Amino acid sequence: MKATKLFNLLTEIDTRLNRLEKSAISYREPLVRTNIKAQPFFALRDEVRRQLPKVDALREADVAGLERLIRGLQDFTIASPPLSKSPQRFDVSGFSNLVNGLRIGLSQLSPVEMLEAVPGQKTASFAFGFRNDMLTVIDQPLLLHPGEEDLARAALENAIEQGVYLNEDVGNSNASPRLKEGFARLQSALESRANIVQIGSRAQICNRLVNAELDELSGGQAGLMLGHIETVFRALAQFPQWRSFCENALSVDLDFPSVVTVAESAKALAIEVAKSGAVDPSVADALETVSEWATDKPNPDKRDVLSLVRTLENVWSAISKPLLSLGKEMVSQARKTVAVAVLGALIYTASQAIPIMGKVPGAEWVQTAYSYFKNMLPPANP
């Protein structure tokens, strides 16, 4: 039934595209592949026809891709006067309804299929797991490629030693309390050796703080601080997790209002889980922290934005797996209760952020999880 419904929806999209093509011909502006401006039309039609023979394998990432192509086609038709005036003009609401239908169809996955679609914890500033049946922040071990261990560890230890000296110097200076706290937190992250992205995020914060207060620092102080930050980033560059995370961040393309929307969702989630008393306080603190990092200036660092999205993904992953595994393995009733409580808070706070997160490569699966749980396991509103 599910495959038939998805096939019919994709077929309807293809039918509407054919009508649009015929309309263009009637207005003496045929859509041809050699016209670079018409590429959004052919990209969408080609993708729809590529998915038609394999609807059983359709996933949220594919639906999100279709959605992006539809937005591109909308921009093209608006700029094309004949098409914009045509009776068969591009109807973005109609196409959006069809895409939503695809998402609803995907929400009819079985628990096993949904479990397969949920990834494990991703590299981010914070990861989550259960300890004594309570959701809490957990470490993400620093991973090294064989042959790189000695160099990477030596670089990290050098940054830690330099940080001890720097924090002593900064602590005895007239630097602002905010600057002192920033470097103290960076040093704590370095010494914990628990999360490579969190170290990088703390270093980015320190860099922004120093540059914001350059006029109030002596040349020697500023040079010492910036030199330490550079040492930290050189150490991070030795770790494949950090290199991969930075590469992934380059593909993030969200405007600031969208980032603010996701950050507000994370802050709202922090408030809800704190009120529930179902999680360790570190969870709410983590959500508030990544929200602040991503919105402390109008043009946020893409690494901070990716960490915000990945941290939210990790919450979804942490609570989805025990809920979906209940029929296959023993999960304590206490853990189930916590997972359900956090799920309720996620559903309650995530509606505005979900479509935006789906634009970040790799995060499309969250839309599928949201639709699945909202339709199949609807929790009571907090």
Side-chain angles (χ1 to χ4, degrees), residues 124-128 135-137 198 202 259-260 262-274 279-295 304 307-316 319 342 345-346 349 357:
S125 291
F126 297 97
F128 306 91
L135 188 70
T136 186
V137 171
Q198 190 174 137
R202 298 285 185 193
V259 175
V260 170
V262 178
E264 288 176 346
S265 175
K267 289 179 180 178
L269 177 61
I271 293 172
E272 292 301 320
V273 296
V279 303
D280 187 85
S282 63
V283 175
D285 182 65
L287 292 166
E288 291 174 355
T289 298
V290 291
S291 300
E292 291 170 1
W293 286 345
T295 57
D304 289 329
S307 192
L308 168 64
V309 174
R310 290 287 186 258
T311 296
L312 283 170
E313 281 190 75
N314 285 348
V315 177
W316 277 98
I319 63 99
V342 177
L346 279 167
T349 61
M357 291 176 64

Side-chain angles (χ1 to χ4, degrees), residues 109-374:
L109 296 170
S110 70
V112 173
E113 290 173 319
M114 189 65 244
L115 181 61
E116 292 175 350
V118 176
Q121 300 280 304
K122 294 185 177 180
T123 301
S125 291
F126 297 97
F128 306 91
F130 286 89
R131 187 177 295 127
N132 297 325
D133 288 328
M134 178 168 282
L135 188 70
T136 186
V137 171
I138 60 174
D139 294 342
Q140 286 192 315
L142 308 186
L143 302 178
L144 295 167
H145 287 319
E148 296 182 354
E149 296 97 331
D150 292 341
L151 181 60
R153 289 198 178 95
L156 185 59
E157 293 305 316
N158 179 53
I160 292 172
E161 290 179 13
Q162 189 180 92
V164 172
Y165 170 75
L166 173 73
N167 275 274
E168 289 178 355
D169 183 81
V170 173
N172 295 323
S173 72
N174 61 351
S176 71
R178 190 180 180 200
L179 197 58
K180 293 178 181 179
E181 182 184 9
F183 276 99
R185 286 178 176 269
L186 170 59
Q187 185 66 12
S188 177
L190 283 165
E191 292 178 353
S192 73
R193 302 172 180 81
N195 187 302
I196 200 71
V197 176
Q198 190 174 137
I199 294 172
S201 297
R202 298 285 185 193
Q204 289 163 203
I205 291 293
C206 287
N207 187 56
R208 293 200 284 271
L209 290 172
V210 172
N211 282 287
E213 300 184 20
L214 276 178
D215 293 341
E216 300 175 15
L217 299 171
S218 68
Q221 281 181 321
L224 185 63
M225 293 175 185
L226 292 174
H228 177 55
I229 293 169
E230 182 60 31
T231 298
V232 172
F233 280 122
R234 283 200 299 269
L236 294 178
Q238 307 303 316
F239 290 83
Q241 289 163 294
W242 177 253
R243 295 196 298 267
S244 176
F245 181 81
C246 292
E247 290 171 3
N248 290 333
L250 293 175
S251 62
V252 175
D253 186 21
L254 298 181
D255 57 24
F256 188 59
S258 295
V259 175
V260 170
T261 297
V262 178
E264 288 176 346
S265 175
K267 289 179 180 178
L269 177 61
I271 293 172
E272 292 301 320
V273 296
K275 286 194 306 185
S276 72
V279 303
D280 187 85
S282 63
V283 175
D285 182 65
L287 292 166
E288 291 174 355
T289 298
V290 291
S291 300
E292 291 170 1
W293 286 345
T295 57
D296 71 344
K297 62 177 184 176
N299 185 29
D301 190 298
K302 288 189 173 186
R303 290 170 293 190
D304 289 329
V305 176
L306 180 61
S307 192
L308 168 64
V309 174
R310 290 287 186 258
T311 296
L312 283 170
E313 281 190 75
N314 285 348
V315 177
W316 277 98
S317 176
I319 63 99
S320 294
K321 286 187 176 293
L323 287 174
L324 294 167
S325 300
L326 291 179
K328 299 175 62 179
E329 59 188 60
M330 293 298 294
V331 177
S332 71
Q333 183 60 41
R335 183 172 298 190
K336 176 183 176 182
T337 300
V338 170
V340 170
V342 177
L343 174 62
L346 279 167
I347 297 296
Y348 181 68
T349 61
S351 60
Q352 299 299 315
I354 289 295
I356 298 171
M357 291 176 64
K359 298 177 185 178
V360 177
E364 300 92 347
W365 71 273
V366 179
Q367 174 74 66
T368 304
Y370 176 81
S371 299
Y372 176 86
F373 285 119
K374 187 175 181 180

Side-chain angles (χ1 to χ4, degrees), residues 15-129:
T15 299
R16 295 191 183 197
L17 290 173
N18 287 336
R19 291 174 187 163
L20 186 65
E21 184 177 30
K22 292 177 180 178
S23 178
I25 294 174
S26 67
Y27 275 86
R28 298 182 180 180
E29 189 174 315
L31 297 169
V32 293
R33 290 184 181 273
T34 54
N35 182 357
I36 191 170
K37 293 181 179 180
Q39 290 310 302
F41 171 84
F42 291 104
L44 176 58
R45 190 172 70 176
D46 290 348
E47 180 61 18
V48 170
R49 293 180 178 180
R50 187 178 74 85
Q51 296 295 344
L52 274 169
K54 52 175 187 174
V55 290
D56 285 329
L58 192 71
R59 289 293 180 263
E60 173 57 32
D62 303 314
V63 177
L66 289 170
E67 199 167 40
R68 285 192 291 271
L69 292 172
I70 286 171
R71 286 197 296 271
L73 182 55
Q74 180 187 19
D75 294 339
F76 164 65
T77 55
I78 289 174
S80 176
L83 289 180
S84 63
K85 297 177 182 178
S86 163
Q88 299 295 339
R89 63 185 179 277
F90 182 73
D91 178 11
V92 65
S93 62
F95 276 84
S96 295
N97 289 337
L98 291 171
V99 170
N100 287 335
L102 290 172
R103 284 207 166 97
I104 292 172
L106 287 178
S107 72
Q108 297 171 359
L109 296 170
S110 70
V112 173
E113 290 173 319
M114 189 65 244
L115 181 61
E116 292 175 350
V118 176
Q121 300 280 304
K122 294 185 177 180
T123 301
S125 291
F126 297 97
F128 306 91

